[in-house]
Amino acid sequence: MATSQPDEVFWLTGQEWDLRADKDSWGRIPRTFVRLTEDRSMPLAAQDLYIAEGDALTPDNPFDVHDLASSHAGFFRRPAGLAAILDGLSVRAGAGSR
């Protein structure tokens, strides 16, 4: 386990658990990623990897990335910060842009 990466899942390794997205079925709508900058359960390197993999899969529709200075429970610990992000997204969505 010392050589494992923080985002690896060891107990779900069968082919039936390989539910990766593909460019034809994922990423057709705008999407947002809220990076939790103090998260020790999912380090920034892992979050950035997920963002990069998603953006590489659908380069014409990259993530709209926002940072929230909080731990893994950031949505509960920093509700005002999350609300501000969501409010900004809703304003842009209402205007018809990202």
Side-chain angles (χ1 to χ4, degrees), residues 23 26-27 31 51-63 98:
K23 63 182 167 102
W26 184 74
R31 59 188 188 273
I51 293 165
E53 287 178 346
D55 288 351
L57 186 64
T58 57
D60 294 333
N61 186 22
F63 276 108
R98 269 187 77 160

Side-chain angles (χ1 to χ4, degrees), residues 5-27:
Q5 298 297 313
D7 59 331
E8 289 180 331
V9 179
F10 298 101
W11 58 92
L12 303 177
T13 57
Q15 191 171 20
E16 69 274 14
W17 292 102
D18 187 359
L19 304 174
R20 294 177 217 196
D22 63 49
K23 63 182 167 102
D24 296 324
S25 66
W26 184 74

Side-chain angles (χ1 to χ4, degrees), residues 24-56:
D24 296 324
S25 66
W26 184 74
R28 293 180 290 198
I29 60 171
R31 59 188 188 273
T32 299
F33 195 104
V34 179
R35 291 172 74 240
L36 300 173
T37 62
E38 298 170 11
D39 192 338
R40 289 181 282 174
S41 297
M42 185 182 296
L44 283 176
Q47 295 178 58
D48 290 342
L49 175 65
Y50 295 150
I51 293 165
E53 287 178 346
D55 288 351

